Amino acid sequence: MQIKIEIGDITTYEVDAIVNAANRTLLGGGGVDGAIHRAAGPELLKECKALNGCDTGEAKITQGYRLPSPYVIHTVGPIWKGGYQSEAVLLANCYRNSILLAEQKELRSMAFPAISTGAFQFPLDKAAGIAIDTVSEMLKQVKKVEKIIFVCFDDKTYQAYHQINA
Ligand code: AR6
């Protein structure tokens, strides 16, 4: 069981599944979602179109196509609305449901971006705490998934994760 925190571009990671911080349409967007679709190629959008979207806090899996990772797990984080709309629970659900889906597929390694902390404006410190707590708890419960990397796109995000993990 292993948790790592790194700075990097998640589209370059050779893990069994990278997680996408998508929106409910699953039809692409900006941020990490846009980067993943660009790197995976148009086949990814084609597969996503057949999934009929995804609810907030839930997760769906596709192939990775031109990515180094064979699978992409698409999850939809909550949009921050001041903390009164169950955002914390929904964000924890993203991590939990993504790991449960990986476990079902018998995957061993996963990489997560900092879900909801970009366009969806979830406060970074709170989000990092939820990410680390939920993943730590889940890794005790699953059998196949054993390695999780938090891929931070910038130094601010990296520092936030490290402060939680200190
Ligand atoms: N690798 C790793 N992390 C990245 C990358 C990358 N290549 N690119 C950006 N990030 P965001 P959200 C970081 O906005 O807040 C999209 O339009 C970024 O710096 O991608 O969940 C979707 O379609 C930030 O730390 O996702 C949705 O509409 C983190 O990923 C909406 O944005 C998340 O930022 C989802 O918003």
Side-chain angles (χ1 to χ4, degrees):
M1 173 170 136
Q2 199 185 8
I3 295 180
K4 284 185 160 189
I5 302 163
E6 298 178 2
I7 292 193
D9 175 351
I10 205 165
T11 63
T12 66
Y13 273 70
E14 291 183 38
V15 286
D16 294 338
I18 63 169
V19 176
N20 183 15
N23 59 60
R24 290 159 59 103
T25 68
L26 296 186
L27 298 180
V32 70
D33 194 6
I36 288 172
H37 275 272
R38 277 194 300 279
E43 297 93 338
L44 178 60
L45 182 59
K46 201 174 164 205
E47 187 175 354
C48 283
K49 279 182 178 159
L51 296 177
N52 287 315
C54 181
D55 286 336
T56 304
E58 302 297 316
K60 294 192 175 179
I61 192 164
T62 65
Q63 294 183 60
Y65 299 98
R66 297 176 202 174
L67 288 162
S69 57
Y71 293 98
V72 179
I73 292 175
H74 307 261
T75 189
V76 182
I79 300 171
W80 181 257
K81 291 182 180 147
Y84 304 106
Q85 309 268 331
S86 306
E87 293 97 319
V89 172
L90 291 167
L91 186 61
N93 287 348
C94 288
Y95 288 94
R96 183 177 304 114
N97 286 324
S98 296
I99 292 172
L100 288 174
L101 195 48
E103 179 75 5
Q104 262 175 34
K105 291 274 176 188
E106 307 198 337
L107 308 183
R108 295 159 65 97
S109 60
M110 305 172 73
F112 279 96
I115 300 164
S116 283
T117 67
F120 283 178
Q121 296 188 311
F122 203 110
L124 181 54
D125 293 347
K126 271 192 217 300
I130 291 166
I132 290 183
D133 286 354
T134 309
V135 164
S136 305
E137 194 49 46
M138 287 304 295
L139 278 181
K140 291 182 201 154
Q141 294 176 27
V142 292
K143 292 197 168 68
K144 302 287 177 190
V145 180
E146 58 183 17
K147 180 178 178 182
I148 306 252
I149 308 171
F150 290 113
V151 181
C152 305
F153 203 49
D154 54 32
D155 196 55
K156 186 179 60 158
T157 305
Y158 182 77
Q159 297 302 339
Y161 276 88
H162 265 290
Q163 265 175 6
I164 305 293
N165 215 27

